[in-house]
Amino acid sequence: MTDANPYGEFETAWCPGCGNFAIRKAMVAALMELGLPPHNVVFSTGIGQAAKAPHYIRVNLINGLHGRSLPAATGVKLANPELAVFAESGDGCSYGEGGNHFLAAIRRNIDLTYVVHNNQIYGLTKGQASPTTPKGQKTKTQPHGAPSEAFNPVAVAVTMGAGFVARGFAGEVEHLAGLIAAAARHPGFSLVDVLQPCVSFNKVNTYAWYKERCYRLGDDHDPTNRQAALDRALEWGERIPLGVLWRSDRPAFGPMPTGPLAVREPDLKTLSGILAGYA
Amino acid sequence: MARSSVNVVIGGEAGQGLVTIGEFLSRALTRAGYAICVTQDYMSRIRGGHNTFAVRIDPVAVAAPDEAIDLLVALSADTLDIHRGDLSPRALVLADAAVGLGGLPGLAVPYKTLCPKPLYENVAALGVAGALLCLDAAILSGLVAEKFVAKGEAVVAANLEVLAAAMDWAKGQEATFACLAPPTLGPGRLMLHGNEAIALGALAAGVNFSSFYPMTPGTSVIQTLIDQADAMGVTVEQAEDEIAAVVMAVGASYAGARPLVSTSGGGFALMTEGVSLAAMLETPVTVVVAQRPGPATGLPTRTEQADLDLVLYAGHGEFPRAIFAPGDVSQCFHLAHLAVDTAERFQSPVFVLTDQFLADSFRDVPPFDLAALPAVARPLTTVDDPAGYVRYAVTDSGVSPRLLPGFTEATVVLDSDEHTQDGHITEDLAVRVAMQDKRMRKLTGLTAAALPPDLVGEAEGATLLACWGSTLGAALEAAESLRQAGEPACVLHFSQVYPLVGQCFLPILAKARRTVMVEGNYSGQLASLIRRETGYVFDARVARYDGLPFTAAFILSKLREATA
Ligand SMILES: Cc1ncc(C[n+]2csc(CCOP(=O)(O)OP(=O)(O)O)c2C)c(N)n1
Ligand code: SF4
């Protein structure tokens, strides 16, 4: 771990007390632990309060469209496998608008680290239900309570045999930093779903609410046991497990290009042979 | 027309191998030195239905399909019924003896006795048609040997035997079909269809990445890239949807890949948010839109030119773009190359608009001179002052130095929200104006680089047929017919439909006696665009939107209706 922080300090546009601050802190700590220089790191983000996070870290950044952090990240990694690629966004962006991309990314298993700020609400658009809002929880736009069952991202990821699935909590920065670093070291697709209090719009899932329920998985949890991982992934309510739920050595996407595509010269000699084949 | 052009139509059910016969015949004709123009008409199904593969052949040049059939190779009884009314006075029909000719003039081919197995009927049909056209037997047998070499010597020998027997049989018939006039074109020409040419032009421009989601008739561009991907070092990924496809391409482009995306209108409708993204991030991406009739999924396998408005206005907000519309297969190659370069140079989304007819239309083309192609612009992998680098430096041209992430100590920051010169989100409205001005300044450069329309013929006092994209060939032929009938006529073809530079063509339009816009859509999209950009109103329009490509006969009949 290097001491001097090369990732800079920035002014943010988040509400005071928001869980995003802690996630940013954990992210910087993880990057420092990984010893990654900022110019070798690319963050791809969607849209939302969470998606702004990498604007407050000195890294390469492609801050794109709502729900599309993963396709852009996939393109970046395919174009230059030498870059360390992170995708980061909120739960609405990641599991709502970006749901199809989430499933495809798990299937593809390209070496990406996906950090989702899961505040169980839409922050930037001011408090509508998100895919992870519990059924029945009232919001301004769901006055009779969220009508649909909540999406369980970690259970879905485990079920699909994702490469690496972890859950962190913004109230436990050091633990979260460790999870992010471990996810980044995993050579395939890794999900870190982070429980994040939104102090402005989610009055149910507060710091206190999470603190009361969250517990860390101990050594007795075997993250390579799919059934055990699924049991923990489904645990939600009175007790909520934090830590690495599931890890697999499933083969990564392949074949990946060797080296950056940018340095490839168009091979006109080969092409002229190909053209001759059309005679 | 004075030329002895011959129109061969092979008709049958999907799965009967008509494309195999058609491609064989077309390639043999190209090798022999003939000009060809292929029209593939197929139904949206994998087996059954009725499809045709039409090859129009000419010893000198052929620009467009024809409607009258001279030689009909009928693989099914349906073919006879469907095309009964399309036969020219000199027409000859080749049908399976088992099916019969249904009273039409022609030859009942005894495929059963010519072939040891039904599998060989394609080669037998090729032999009969080839013999009637007086094609060189060596060219046909050479092709058959090439085609089956991978299946082993025995298969090659069996096919060659069938070919020879079929040719002998045909020569022994008293058919009244005249041989093709001797070819005039030299050897070494290529046979490819529009989508192949687009992919190869893109490869020549250094395209090395494609993310795609399949949609007819856009897919064969990517299929061609995939076929050459290993040899040419192209990374191709089938995305989960079109939104992912285009955004992946934008991400790859940011990181230094040179991407090509191809789709059809329905897929492009989904891509529009990514187009706006590419514009805001100022990241090059080339998108091929192969048009087919809409709305929605329309006629999946037929042709139309109705997505100009979609492409012109695709994406929210305002930003500059360029739209190319190749008129023939050679233009497909060269404009794909130019489109990629334009995207790289202006760091913008750039489009190639083609359509099902051109996408699937095999033509003979002279070989491409790769060495003569201009160099394509590239991004930077070094900068003098990494610490001071900003991605969106405000410049006179609107184009900022584009550095790739990971190659220097600099970080490269892109944002889809309005951003400062260093790429970070801003709500400073003065910065907004400066940035929008900077992006829009690229339009000046794009306009200066825009291709003027091509005038073929003399405009003075003439009937001027204006057109864009694949309508070129039919318009050229219609104009020639008019001239032969004593009416001065010319063609003005737009191979780039945006930006348009009025000074380049308004004086030409002014000289014509009457101006007619010929385009494959209901509403006259290019005519409207020209009116919007220049105030010019065409005297008349010819529209086609029945799913079929333009022919000279169609244009001429509509012109007659208009003047009657
Ligand atoms: C295509 C599109 N649809 C909708 C929006 C509006 N929008 C912006 S952020 C957001 C939701 C953000 O919620 P979440 O992803 O949970 O992030 P948070 O703000 O809570 O961090 C929405 C719907 C948008 N920007 N783009
Ligand atoms: S709205 Fe919620 S998520 Fe957004 S900054 Fe405020 S507290 Fe954080």
Side-chain angles (χ1 to χ4, degrees), chain A residues 247-268:
Chain A
R247 200 167 3 91
S248 82
D249 49 10
R250 187 184 144 203
F253 178 90
M256 286 289 284
T258 47
L261 297 185
V263 302
R264 279 194 200 160
E265 291 294 332
D267 181 354
L268 294 185

Short mmCIF file of all heavy atoms in Angstrom, two decimals, chain A residues 247-268:
data_model
loop_
_atom_site.label_atom_id
_atom_site.label_comp_id
_atom_site.label_asym_id
_atom_site.label_seq_id
_atom_site.Cartn_x
_atom_site.Cartn_y
_atom_site.Cartn_z
N ARG A 247 -17.18 -17.43 -5.24
CA ARG A 247 -16.02 -17.27 -6.10
C ARG A 247 -15.90 -18.53 -6.95
O ARG A 247 -16.11 -19.64 -6.45
CB ARG A 247 -14.77 -17.13 -5.22
CG ARG A 247 -13.63 -16.51 -5.91
CD ARG A 247 -12.47 -16.05 -5.02
NE ARG A 247 -12.51 -16.28 -3.58
CZ ARG A 247 -12.02 -17.35 -2.96
NH1 ARG A 247 -11.48 -18.34 -3.65
NH2 ARG A 247 -12.07 -17.44 -1.66
N SER A 248 -15.61 -18.36 -8.24
CA SER A 248 -15.45 -19.56 -9.07
C SER A 248 -14.26 -19.36 -9.99
O SER A 248 -13.86 -18.24 -10.26
CB SER A 248 -16.70 -19.82 -9.91
OG SER A 248 -16.67 -19.00 -11.06
N ASP A 249 -13.70 -20.47 -10.42
CA ASP A 249 -12.59 -20.33 -11.36
C ASP A 249 -13.06 -20.66 -12.76
O ASP A 249 -12.36 -21.22 -13.58
CB ASP A 249 -11.39 -21.19 -10.96
CG ASP A 249 -11.82 -22.62 -10.64
OD1 ASP A 249 -13.00 -22.94 -10.93
OD2 ASP A 249 -11.00 -23.38 -10.11
N ARG A 250 -14.30 -20.30 -12.99
CA ARG A 250 -14.92 -20.46 -14.30
C ARG A 250 -14.02 -19.81 -15.37
O ARG A 250 -13.50 -18.73 -15.16
CB ARG A 250 -16.25 -19.74 -14.22
CG ARG A 250 -17.13 -19.90 -15.36
CD ARG A 250 -18.35 -19.03 -15.09
NE ARG A 250 -18.75 -18.48 -16.35
CZ ARG A 250 -19.46 -17.39 -16.49
NH1 ARG A 250 -19.80 -16.69 -15.43
NH2 ARG A 250 -19.78 -16.98 -17.68
N PRO A 251 -13.86 -20.46 -16.52
CA PRO A 251 -12.96 -19.89 -17.53
C PRO A 251 -13.44 -18.50 -17.97
O PRO A 251 -14.63 -18.28 -18.14
CB PRO A 251 -13.03 -20.88 -18.69
CG PRO A 251 -13.98 -21.94 -18.31
CD PRO A 251 -14.45 -21.72 -16.91
N ALA A 252 -12.48 -17.60 -18.10
CA ALA A 252 -12.82 -16.24 -18.50
C ALA A 252 -13.14 -16.20 -19.99
O ALA A 252 -12.85 -17.13 -20.74
CB ALA A 252 -11.68 -15.30 -18.17
N PHE A 253 -13.74 -15.10 -20.41
CA PHE A 253 -14.07 -14.84 -21.81
C PHE A 253 -12.83 -15.03 -22.67
O PHE A 253 -11.74 -14.61 -22.33
CB PHE A 253 -14.56 -13.39 -21.90
CG PHE A 253 -14.90 -12.92 -23.28
CD1 PHE A 253 -16.18 -13.08 -23.78
CD2 PHE A 253 -13.95 -12.29 -24.07
CE1 PHE A 253 -16.52 -12.61 -25.04
CE2 PHE A 253 -14.28 -11.83 -25.34
CZ PHE A 253 -15.56 -11.99 -25.82
N GLY A 254 -13.04 -15.60 -23.82
CA GLY A 254 -11.87 -15.74 -24.65
C GLY A 254 -12.20 -16.08 -26.07
O GLY A 254 -13.32 -16.47 -26.35
N PRO A 255 -11.20 -15.96 -26.93
CA PRO A 255 -9.88 -15.42 -26.62
C PRO A 255 -9.91 -13.90 -26.61
O PRO A 255 -10.62 -13.30 -27.41
CB PRO A 255 -9.04 -15.92 -27.80
CG PRO A 255 -10.02 -16.10 -28.92
CD PRO A 255 -11.34 -16.43 -28.30
N MET A 256 -9.16 -13.33 -25.68
CA MET A 256 -9.03 -11.87 -25.63
C MET A 256 -7.94 -11.47 -26.61
O MET A 256 -7.00 -12.22 -26.85
CB MET A 256 -8.62 -11.42 -24.23
CG MET A 256 -9.73 -11.49 -23.20
SD MET A 256 -11.01 -10.23 -23.45
CE MET A 256 -10.19 -8.75 -22.85
N PRO A 257 -8.06 -10.27 -27.19
CA PRO A 257 -6.96 -9.80 -28.04
C PRO A 257 -5.69 -9.65 -27.22
O PRO A 257 -5.76 -9.38 -26.02
CB PRO A 257 -7.45 -8.45 -28.54
CG PRO A 257 -8.62 -8.07 -27.70
CD PRO A 257 -9.15 -9.31 -27.06
N THR A 258 -4.56 -9.87 -27.84
CA THR A 258 -3.30 -9.66 -27.12
C THR A 258 -2.86 -8.23 -27.36
O THR A 258 -2.64 -7.83 -28.50
CB THR A 258 -2.22 -10.63 -27.62
OG1 THR A 258 -2.24 -10.60 -29.05
CG2 THR A 258 -2.48 -12.05 -27.16
N GLY A 259 -2.77 -7.47 -26.31
CA GLY A 259 -2.31 -6.09 -26.39
C GLY A 259 -3.36 -5.15 -26.94
O GLY A 259 -4.42 -5.57 -27.40
N PRO A 260 -3.05 -3.85 -26.88
CA PRO A 260 -4.03 -2.85 -27.32
C PRO A 260 -4.27 -2.90 -28.83
O PRO A 260 -3.31 -3.01 -29.61
CB PRO A 260 -3.37 -1.51 -26.94
CG PRO A 260 -2.09 -1.83 -26.27
CD PRO A 260 -1.80 -3.27 -26.39
N LEU A 261 -5.54 -2.81 -29.23
CA LEU A 261 -5.85 -2.78 -30.66
C LEU A 261 -5.29 -1.53 -31.33
O LEU A 261 -5.03 -1.52 -32.54
CB LEU A 261 -7.37 -2.81 -30.88
CG LEU A 261 -8.14 -4.04 -30.39
CD1 LEU A 261 -9.61 -3.96 -30.80
CD2 LEU A 261 -7.53 -5.31 -30.95
N ALA A 262 -5.08 -0.47 -30.53
CA ALA A 262 -4.64 0.80 -31.11
C ALA A 262 -3.30 0.70 -31.83
O ALA A 262 -3.04 1.45 -32.76
CB ALA A 262 -4.54 1.86 -30.01
N VAL A 263 -2.46 -0.24 -31.42
CA VAL A 263 -1.13 -0.30 -32.03
C VAL A 263 -1.08 -1.23 -33.25
O VAL A 263 -0.05 -1.37 -33.88
CB VAL A 263 -0.04 -0.71 -31.00
CG1 VAL A 263 -0.03 0.27 -29.83
CG2 VAL A 263 -0.30 -2.13 -30.50
N ARG A 264 -2.22 -1.84 -33.56
CA ARG A 264 -2.23 -2.72 -34.74
C ARG A 264 -2.28 -1.90 -36.01
O ARG A 264 -3.17 -1.10 -36.20
CB ARG A 264 -3.48 -3.60 -34.71
CG ARG A 264 -3.31 -4.76 -33.82
CD ARG A 264 -4.40 -5.77 -34.10
NE ARG A 264 -4.51 -6.63 -32.94
CZ ARG A 264 -5.55 -7.36 -32.65
NH1 ARG A 264 -6.61 -7.32 -33.43
NH2 ARG A 264 -5.55 -8.12 -31.59
N GLU A 265 -1.34 -2.19 -36.89
CA GLU A 265 -1.36 -1.54 -38.21
C GLU A 265 -2.28 -2.34 -39.12
O GLU A 265 -2.25 -3.57 -39.09
CB GLU A 265 0.05 -1.54 -38.81
CG GLU A 265 1.04 -0.65 -38.09
CD GLU A 265 0.70 0.83 -38.20
OE1 GLU A 265 0.07 1.21 -39.21
OE2 GLU A 265 1.06 1.58 -37.27
N PRO A 266 -3.08 -1.67 -39.93
CA PRO A 266 -3.88 -2.44 -40.89
C PRO A 266 -2.96 -3.20 -41.84
O PRO A 266 -2.03 -2.63 -42.41
CB PRO A 266 -4.69 -1.37 -41.63
CG PRO A 266 -4.15 -0.05 -41.22
CD PRO A 266 -3.32 -0.23 -39.99
N ASP A 267 -3.20 -4.49 -41.95
CA ASP A 267 -2.32 -5.36 -42.73
C ASP A 267 -2.81 -5.40 -44.18
O ASP A 267 -3.58 -6.28 -44.57
CB ASP A 267 -2.33 -6.75 -42.08
CG ASP A 267 -1.43 -7.72 -42.81
OD1 ASP A 267 -0.88 -7.36 -43.88
OD2 ASP A 267 -1.30 -8.85 -42.31
N LEU A 268 -2.35 -4.44 -44.97
CA LEU A 268 -2.87 -4.31 -46.33
C LEU A 268 -2.37 -5.44 -47.24
O LEU A 268 -3.01 -5.77 -48.24
CB LEU A 268 -2.51 -2.95 -46.91
CG LEU A 268 -3.20 -1.76 -46.23
CD1 LEU A 268 -2.88 -0.45 -46.94
CD2 LEU A 268 -4.71 -1.94 -46.12
#
